[in-house]
Amino acid sequence: MPVTDPGRTDPAIIRNFSIIAHIDHGKSTLADRMLQLTGVVDPRAMREQYLDRMDIERERGITIKSQAVRMPWTQGGVGYVLNMIDTPGHVDFTYEVSRSLAACEGALLLVDAAQGIEAQTLANLYLALEADLHIIPVLNKIDLPGAQPEKYAEELAGIIGCAPDDVLRVSAKTGEGVRELLDEIVRQVPAPVGDPDAPARALIFDSVYDTYRGVITYVRVVDGALSHRERILMMSTKATHEVLEVGVISPEPIRTQRLSVGEVGYLITGVKDVRQSRVGDTVSLSTRPAIHALAGYRHPKPMVYAGIYPIDADDFSELREALEKLQLNDAALTFEPETSGALGFGFRIGFLGLLHMEIVRERLEREFNLDLISTAPNVVYRVVMEDGTEHVVTNPSEYPEGKIAEVYEPVVRATVLSPSDYIGTLMELCQTRRGVQLGMDYLSADRVEMRYTLPLAEIVFDFFDALKSRTKGYASLDYEDAGEQTAELVKVDILLHGDPVDAFSAIVHKDKAYQYGVAMAAKLKELIPRQQFEVPIQAAIGARVIARETIRALRKDVLAKCYGGDITRKRKLLEKQKEGKKRMKMVGRVEVPQEAFVAALQTGEGGKDKKPS
């Protein structure tokens, strides 16, 4: 592995910036062009979406993980160091974006010149403004026939508060305007500020697990320097390690002797325990520790919970290990063990959204070769009983029995951006999902921003699909936590042969309980094979049955060998069979095949190749 110059890099020539945008507005393509222009990638090794390392990212055409890369750029005879972080654009990965922004001084706000500003563009812009970053507005895809750069430059200028001429116009695909953009980054983004002689402080903004080398920690140095073979201190855990390797990513790892003020790079300590390198922790030197740790990050709050169980019970410990390694790479993931009467041992996992859940499950299956079942996703409820006791319910099986005073459900503040032609249909959709309108603003003559308070449970399933289909794909959605509200919710149990199956239970609004019960009973009737005895499938709220289907018994033709003679002979054989069926029904257990669980619990939402905004 090559080793670069051991000297200290002057912070005045460093520019740390991030690319933020709505999904599919060309972040990764712009990053590709920058890699080519700065010459850090050999032309023969170049490929599209170069920084998207995971197969899932390349297949779906979306960025899931932020990627940092160091690039050289010369302007006016001076050599500069550009540290770029390419961030995801989907609402479920906002936490990735917020962590990346903390390692930067500037941000490129990228907007598609054919589509204009969308919901996630605004959400990411507010994150960057909160982090006090310098914003450079950029219109991408100006080479498209449908591009309207003048119109969207005005829209963008109105939101940021700059002149339309200050909005840069580029085509990441053809490379037009990218050189000028790099020059503007050098000119506009402020150099990092830090004390090179103070005790070392570096912020961990990402980590990844390598089978051979252990935990690789990505850091942004704020003060001092971190050098090869020094002993470092993790300030939150007080653990000390020796730095075996320090370096920068350009875009492959390159060893250096040290990382100084303003630099972004990686550390390898050979530690195999994934809990030793927490995202948001501060790294200092054990010989001269810093007094105050860096601020770190707000911990993300899971929005959706689902149970994930291994199909083979022997894989439980492998699943725990896989989740710990994935948590290192995805700090927004939370999990705790749980058991289910139907599915055995597994984990209750907290996700930031439905796409996040889908990606995590797919990564567990691909990267760790696990066969998994996931239960239907649900949100967290707070149940207050009449005697004043409170229960936090993350799983329908935890829903308390007895007299309930109030149930609180989480709500979100949703922002929908859409062409003004679809205002009526969007209002109808939000009202059917128990939404309350907060306000509506026109961003331009034909684009509107609508703000609603919606129950989270109503939008984690198919709200996004309905939004896209009603607006021919033009609307975009962003949402943030907005506390909780009381709601009339009930728990619907599914009983097989009189026994509740916890994996199929759900907490739903009173008005939709009957609909859920009928649909689930009908689905299970198709999926569960016929038994030797009759099996009733019932949906019930408490003791009241609201829907029922019956799986008819398999019957052997006992009259086949009975020919001629008195009718009483036939009746005697049928009665004998009937008694046998009754005895079997008393001792019989309904075995639900694994495939039936998988099919019944598949939500059918979030599709395989969708790119929600």
Side-chain angles (χ1 to χ4, degrees):
M1 192 175 284
V3 180
T4 64
D5 177 52
R8 179 180 285 178
T9 305
D10 181 3
I13 64 163
I14 297 174
R15 300 289 183 270
N16 297 323
F17 69 96
S18 203
I19 305 178
I20 55 174
H22 186 83
I23 197 163
D24 208 23
H25 278 208
K27 292 178 301 298
S28 299
T29 312
L30 182 61
D32 289 348
R33 288 300 81 72
M34 288 181 171
L35 295 177
Q36 279 182 316
L37 281 174
T38 53
V40 292
V41 179
D42 187 292
R44 288 174 299 177
M46 191 63 202
R47 59 178 188 192
E48 284 188 20
Q49 287 176 262
Y50 190 86
L51 293 179
D52 290 347
R53 304 294 171 90
M54 283 187 270
D55 290 342
I56 306 174
E57 291 181 312
R58 304 185 67 76
E59 284 168 20
R60 295 181 177 227
I62 59 174
T63 302
I64 294 163
K65 282 295 300 167
S66 301
Q67 295 290 347
V69 62
R70 179 184 175 119
M71 305 177 294
W73 187 247
T74 307
Q75 186 187 1
V78 181
Y80 290 90
V81 172
L82 306 182
N83 286 314
M84 173 186 68
I85 303 178
D86 177 26
T87 61
H90 189 277
V91 61
D92 282 12
F93 304 111
T94 303
Y95 185 59
E96 282 284 328
V97 180
S98 67
R99 294 201 332 250
S100 304
L101 296 177
C104 300
E105 279 78 37
L108 302 185
L109 182 69
L110 202 64
V111 172
D112 187 326
Q115 289 180 296
I117 293 168
E118 300 205 43
Q120 200 59 33
T121 316
L122 288 176
N124 287 341
L125 170 62
Y126 297 145
L127 280 178
L129 291 172
E130 262 178 56
D132 202 21
L133 301 191
H134 179 80
I135 310 289
I136 302 177
V138 183
L139 278 177
N140 188 22
K141 306 191 185 180
I142 57 168
D143 57 308
L144 289 180
Q148 296 172 280
E150 301 309 319
K151 176 186 172 184
Y152 293 125
E154 265 184 50
E155 207 174 275
L156 201 50
I159 286 170
I160 294 176
C162 64
D165 293 341
D166 295 339
V167 179
L168 300 172
R169 293 155 171 78
V170 302
S171 167
K173 190 174 180 182
T174 63
E176 183 187 341
V178 179
R179 279 182 187 279
E180 292 78 6
L181 175 57
L182 288 165
D183 288 338
E184 286 298 316
I185 289 166
V186 170
R187 198 173 64 78
Q188 293 189 36
V189 175
V193 178
D195 185 349
D197 302 315
R201 291 196 304 169
L203 180 70
I204 299 177
F205 68 89
D206 207 356
S207 299
V208 64
Y209 187 82
D210 184 280
T211 313
Y212 304 105
R213 315 188 77 187
V215 178
I216 299 172
T217 306
Y218 295 104
V219 294
R220 151 73 198 269
V221 181
V222 177
D223 293 322
L226 299 172
S227 304
H228 181 56
R229 288 295 174 192
E230 280 187 313
R231 284 202 75 78
I232 57 169
L233 167 76
M234 301 292 184
M235 291 189 75
S236 69
T237 59
K238 303 298 179 203
T240 62
H241 313 289
E242 185 183 2
V243 178
L244 302 180
E245 188 179 311
V246 61
V248 295
I249 304 108
S250 184
E252 303 307 322
I254 298 175
R255 284 177 65 172
T256 60
Q257 288 300 317
R258 68 192 308 167
L259 288 174
S260 51
V261 172
E263 289 195 273
V264 175
Y266 68 90
L267 304 172
I268 296 177
T269 55
V271 173
K272 297 281 186 184
D273 183 357
V274 295
R275 288 179 290 274
Q276 296 283 352
S277 184
R278 287 206 2 257
V279 163
D281 198 357
T282 303
V283 180
S284 192
L285 298 178
S286 62
T287 50
R288 190 185 169 211
I291 299 165
H292 301 293
L294 295 164
Y297 309 108
R298 273 201 315 247
H299 201 70
K301 186 179 169 193
M303 302 286 257
V304 179
Y305 282 83
I308 288 193
Y309 297 83
I311 285 179
D312 183 350
D314 296 342
D315 288 341
F316 177 72
S317 55
E318 277 93 335
L319 178 58
R320 181 194 292 276
E321 207 173 297
L323 282 167
E324 284 176 352
K325 287 177 182 172
L326 206 57
Q327 193 177 39
L328 184 71
N329 197 228
D330 182 355
L333 201 64
T334 58
F335 62 91
E336 57 183 39
E338 74 167 3
T339 55
S340 156
L343 300 172
F345 292 98
F347 291 92
R348 193 90 197 146
I349 305 183
F351 304 98
L352 297 182
L354 217 60
L355 182 76
H356 186 211
M357 170 184 157
E358 200 183 318
I359 295 292
V360 166
R361 181 180 161 178
E362 206 164 318
R363 286 185 71 183
L364 286 169
E365 289 179 341
R366 285 189 188 201
E367 294 172 28
F368 302 97
N369 295 322
L370 294 165
D371 289 324
L372 305 169
I373 290 178
S374 58
T375 63
N378 63 280
V379 298
V380 186
Y381 299 101
R382 187 164 65 89
V383 182
V384 180
M385 309 299 284
E386 282 191 353
D387 61 4
T389 56
E390 276 194 17
H391 299 268
V392 175
V393 178
T394 59
N395 184 347
S397 62
E398 296 168 2
Y399 201 79
E401 302 289 330
K403 293 190 174 178
I404 292 167
E406 282 181 320
V407 183
Y408 292 87
E409 65 174 349
V411 291
V412 294
R413 181 192 158 102
T415 306
V416 178
L417 264 70
S418 161
S420 49
D421 304 355
Y422 302 108
I423 290 175
T425 184
L426 287 175
M427 282 182 166
E428 186 203 344
L429 172 65
C430 293
Q431 281 162 7
T432 57
R433 299 305 174 97
R434 299 188 283 131
V436 177
Q437 190 171 11
L438 298 174
M440 186 168 79
D441 291 313
Y442 280 85
L443 297 179
S444 63
D446 56 354
R447 280 172 72 74
V448 68
E449 176 188 327
M450 300 167 75
R451 294 179 301 283
Y452 272 87
T453 300
L454 285 156
L456 181 60
E458 294 285 349
I459 68 168
V460 294
F461 276 108
D462 59 346
F463 181 81
F464 183 79
D465 295 349
L467 181 83
K468 282 292 185 191
S469 61
R470 285 178 181 228
T471 60
K472 299 187 173 69
Y474 284 113
S476 59
L477 167 76
D478 180 56
Y479 59 84
E480 61 185 11
D481 185 26
E484 56 182 17
Q485 68 180 20
T486 56
E488 294 186 347
L489 301 170
V490 291
K491 178 189 174 191
V492 179
D493 280 315
I494 301 295
L495 291 85
L496 278 185
H497 201 223
D499 299 323
V501 181
D502 58 352
F504 296 135
S505 300
I507 298 166
V508 293
H509 192 265
K510 192 177 75 176
D511 297 344
K512 296 188 177 176
Y514 175 72
Q515 192 181 335
Y516 174 81
V518 169
M520 196 51 123
K523 203 180 218 183
L524 289 174
K525 184 183 179 183
E526 288 173 28
L527 295 168
I528 295 172
R530 288 170 71 183
Q531 313 285 321
Q532 291 287 347
F533 50 92
E534 192 176 85
V535 178
I537 302 168
Q538 295 164 306
I541 299 171
R544 185 164 62 91
V545 174
I546 57 170
R548 172 178 170 136
E549 294 280 354
T550 305
I551 301 172
R552 290 181 55 217
L554 285 170
R555 293 190 60 167
K556 184 180 171 186
D557 186 3
V558 290
L559 301 180
K561 61 180 186 288
C562 179
Y563 52 92
D566 191 9
I567 186 70
T568 52
R569 287 182 61 205
K570 292 184 180 178
R571 199 164 284 148
K572 191 176 169 186
L573 285 170
L574 288 169
E575 286 299 320
K576 194 176 170 187
Q577 185 185 36
K578 200 171 173 183
E579 284 300 315
K581 293 282 183 200
K582 199 180 284 181
R583 265 201 317 275
M584 202 182 283
K585 192 169 184 175
M586 286 164 69
V587 297
R589 282 186 69 242
V590 182
E591 289 295 330
V592 182
Q594 216 79 51
E595 304 78 56
F597 271 117
V598 176
L601 295 176
Q602 249 159 12
T603 58
E605 324 303 344
K608 282 290 172 195
D609 298 298
K610 281 192 195 87
K611 298 204 280 190
S613 51

